Amino acid sequence: MTDAQPTEIQQRLAAIAQLGGRGDLPGAMEATAAALLADTPEGCANELEILSLAETILAHPTLAKRRRSATAELLGICALRRNDLTEAAAHFRRGFNWRPEETVVARQLVGTLQRLGEMDEAAAVQAEHDALLAQAIGKLARWQEPARDAGSPGALYLDLLEKAVSNWFYGDPSLRGSQTIPFDPARREVGRDIPQQAHSMIGLRRLRHLRCVAEQVLRDQVAGDFLEAGVWRGGACILLRGVLAAYGVKGRRVVVADSFAGLPPPDPRHPKDAATLFDFHTRPELAVSLDSVKRNFAAYGLLDDQVEFVPGFFAETLPGWAPGRQLAILRLDGDLYSSTMDTLEALYDRVAPGGFIIADDYGVVVDARRAILDFRRARGIDAPMEAIDGDAVVWRKPGGPPPQPIASPVNALRELPWHVAPALFGAPRARLEALEQGLARLVSRAPMELSLGVLQARVLALLGEPAKAEAAFRRVCAGHPEQPLPAELLIAHLRRFGPAKALAEAHSAAVARFGPRPNFGEPPA
């Protein structure tokens, strides 16, 4: 052996030889690698054979990346035996691009580059490899679903919508190449199948996370729209539009960005993209037309002017999209290095402080993971990432408001000064005023919390501020248009304090939305 680390090379040759007898690598590889391992004259004579065989293997269109990387490494070792450092570096570079998290391949490449005097490239390879290991999805903190109000009509609607877009109820089979695989609830839950009919393939856990992020954005009042780049059949965007509908939000849009013609081929603008082995652009099941996605939105009653479609490849459409528009959520699901990097370069600066960046492919697609880490390193982004599951990650752009917890009536009262809670039970005016001030602070932090808004409106009425109380009731109605209770309370308040015209309008609007209800009372004369 001519390399400086013969023991390590022998170990790797032994491991590669073990691969040779199974699956995709032809059995002849095992014998050739074993001969090289023995370092016999026969092994040297067989070197031409192994080179020819390895090149054939590398050209195989469906060979797994692990086997290709091992074969490229073996070619590199052969080149080292001939002391051809340039050729060895080319082979190791190829193997590293396929599996950059593989420590032995990275070490071989770094060592060979150093011997060639290519110190800058060696340092870059080492830095990327170290980052991939340090930021491996298994080492990231795991996202924990927050406590939430699970019993409200809006929450129940969104629970149902999550299961509907994933077709959890009917359990359609999944696609695997030309095969159809029976429904597997464990795989569907974590988004590890390609459903035949469901409108989303990201799984229940990622759908729940997306919903929680959208609700957090609304609570924290982070400015901007919700954009997904790479939508497939549109299920995740349908859920986002459902969140806006459930909370009665009118001032935001869901932006649906996709080619609607499948994935592009690897892009030579990015060397790491050009080196990929992924063949996503050849898979027709990933191409869903714009009309199909629109029909899916319409099936849920969610296709309206708050849904915006951006058709085309990201490199062409996203840089010039809607100048000045901010994003509260940027969800990346483009798989490729180029698609991921193009989206981040075009839109990361549009994400408002406190906004969320979600990368769907981080764990399972190394090309996307490399793009995310390269972008974060180039921009000096050190905001911690969380693993949503074994595939997706999320981080929050720094500089936004402090995250607001989901409030409840009991917790809200606990946050008030100790002397305030008794004001609910006929306390003097000074304590009612203290209570109203505390409630105003809480409402500003959790504007979508129904019970806080109702309590504030009632306290304002007790304080003899009917106009302010009416305004508070109207804010609650606007924030919860799907619930009749705020309308009932507004009507009751106006029956007592007027004016008559406002009462008639509120009663008419409530009956039009919810139909006649006993608590609305008779129409005003």
Side-chain angles (χ1 to χ4, degrees):
M1 293 286 180
T2 59
D3 189 69
Q5 296 179 307
T7 302
E8 181 178 311
I9 292 177
Q10 287 177 351
Q11 292 171 348
R12 290 299 291 164
L13 281 172
I16 294 169
Q18 290 172 8
L19 288 177
R22 305 195 305 271
D24 295 317
L25 278 182
M29 179 67 81
E30 181 175 5
T32 314
L36 278 172
L37 175 62
D39 199 19
T40 62
E42 181 186 358
C44 295
N46 283 337
E47 196 161 307
L48 291 177
E49 178 185 350
I50 195 172
L51 292 175
S52 174
L53 183 58
E55 289 294 347
T56 302
I57 290 169
L58 291 177
H60 194 281
T62 61
L63 192 65
K65 292 174 74 171
R66 178 171 64 93
R67 303 289 174 81
R68 287 179 185 258
S69 179
T71 307
E73 183 188 354
L74 189 55
L75 286 171
I77 291 171
C78 290
L80 286 179
R81 291 166 61 86
R82 301 190 303 274
N83 206 31
D84 189 338
L85 298 180
T86 301
E87 183 178 338
H91 289 308
F92 290 141
R93 191 180 288 114
R94 185 158 49 169
F96 177 79
N97 278 328
W98 290 333
R99 295 198 73 203
E101 72 279 16
E102 174 61 53
T103 298
V104 175
V105 177
R107 188 180 300 140
Q108 295 276 26
L109 176 56
V110 169
T112 305
L113 290 170
Q114 288 173 339
R115 290 168 64 179
L116 284 167
E118 301 289 346
M119 297 304 181
D120 289 345
E121 185 181 356
V125 168
Q126 188 66 58
E128 181 178 16
H129 175 68
D130 291 346
L132 285 163
L133 294 185
Q135 298 291 315
I137 197 163
K139 294 183 178 180
L140 301 178
R142 198 82 163 188
W143 172 75
Q144 300 297 323
E145 182 180 349
R148 60 192 180 90
D149 176 14
S152 70
L156 294 174
Y157 163 72
L158 293 174
D159 289 348
L160 187 67
L161 190 55
E162 291 171 5
K163 292 181 170 64
V165 297
S166 62
N167 208 21
W168 184 261
F169 300 115
Y170 299 105
D172 57 313
S174 62
L175 305 173
R176 187 178 298 167
S178 60
Q179 295 179 296
T180 301
I181 309 298
F183 174 70
D184 182 343
R187 293 181 69 83
R188 184 66 55 88
E189 183 172 8
V190 296
R192 285 296 179 93
D193 67 348
I194 301 178
Q196 193 174 58
Q197 297 174 340
H199 296 151
S200 175
M201 69 165 83
I202 69 174
L204 284 177
R205 181 168 174 83
R206 272 175 268 166
L207 286 167
R208 173 56 56 84
H209 171 266
L210 183 60
R211 166 190 168 180
C212 290
V213 162
E215 291 175 326
Q216 186 77 52
V217 160
L218 298 182
R219 283 197 303 275
D220 296 349
Q221 302 182 67
V222 177
D225 296 321
F226 304 160
L227 186 147
E228 183 178 35
V231 307
W232 196 47
R233 295 174 183 156
C237 289
I238 289 168
L239 176 63
L240 288 173
R241 180 64 189 93
V243 171
L244 297 182
Y247 283 87
V249 176
K250 300 297 185 184
R252 299 179 192 257
R253 285 187 171 189
V254 175
V255 184
V256 186
D258 199 288
S259 73
F260 302 104
L263 277 76
D267 192 331
R269 290 180 302 126
H270 301 282
K272 292 177 183 178
D273 211 41
T276 187
L277 290 178
F278 285 110
D279 61 348
F280 295 131
H281 61 291
T282 68
R283 297 168 64 177
E285 69 272 20
L286 300 180
V288 183
S289 71
L290 175 58
D291 286 342
S292 294
V293 175
K294 287 183 175 181
R295 283 196 298 270
N296 293 341
F297 270 89
Y300 297 88
L302 294 172
L303 181 63
D304 60 12
D305 59 3
Q306 284 186 254
V307 182
E308 177 181 347
F309 295 93
V310 183
F313 292 129
F314 302 152
E316 300 166 358
T317 60
L318 296 183
W321 169 76
R325 290 261 294 278
Q326 283 190 300
L327 298 173
I329 296 174
L330 173 60
R331 190 174 191 280
L332 312 167
D333 198 354
D335 297 315
L336 296 174
Y337 184 99
S338 57
S339 299
T340 304
M341 184 63 78
D342 288 341
T343 303
L344 285 169
E345 289 180 341
L347 297 180
Y348 182 79
D349 290 335
R350 304 277 202 94
V351 178
F356 290 88
I357 299 90
I358 303 169
D360 187 82
D361 310 305
Y362 183 91
V364 70
V365 183
V366 69
D367 302 47
R369 184 161 70 253
R370 296 178 84 182
I372 290 160
L373 293 178
D374 284 355
F375 183 83
R376 284 170 58 94
R377 182 167 53 250
R379 289 295 198 93
I381 298 169
D382 56 7
M385 291 190 292
E386 284 187 324
I388 301 166
D389 55 11
D391 290 341
V393 298
V394 60
W395 78 88
R396 194 165 195 187
K397 196 168 186 179
Q404 302 304 319
I406 298 174
S408 70
V410 173
N411 289 336
L413 290 176
R414 285 176 180 167
E415 291 188 47
L416 298 174
W418 67 269
H419 64 283
V420 169
L424 290 174
F425 306 99
R429 182 179 179 86
R431 290 192 176 178
L432 283 174
E433 290 174 344
L435 174 60
E436 196 282 322
Q437 291 171 6
L439 285 168
R441 289 193 296 272
L442 289 173
V443 168
S444 69
R445 289 167 48 190
M448 304 306 296
E449 177 57 39
L450 171 63
S451 55
L452 288 178
V454 169
L455 187 57
Q456 182 189 30
R458 284 177 164 170
V459 171
L460 286 167
L462 287 173
L463 284 168
E465 299 281 0
K468 291 182 179 179
E470 178 187 345
F473 279 125
R474 290 189 183 279
R475 283 195 297 271
V476 177
C477 289
H480 300 273
E482 80 287 358
Q483 298 195 33
L485 176 61
E488 294 172 10
L489 296 173
L490 175 61
I491 291 170
H493 175 79
L494 292 173
R495 284 192 189 280
R496 182 175 180 185
F497 295 102
K501 182 179 178 181
L503 171 60
E505 291 173 350
H507 188 279
S508 176
V511 170
R513 178 177 287 276
F514 302 107
R517 301 174 71 94
N519 288 345
F520 292 164
E522 295 297 323

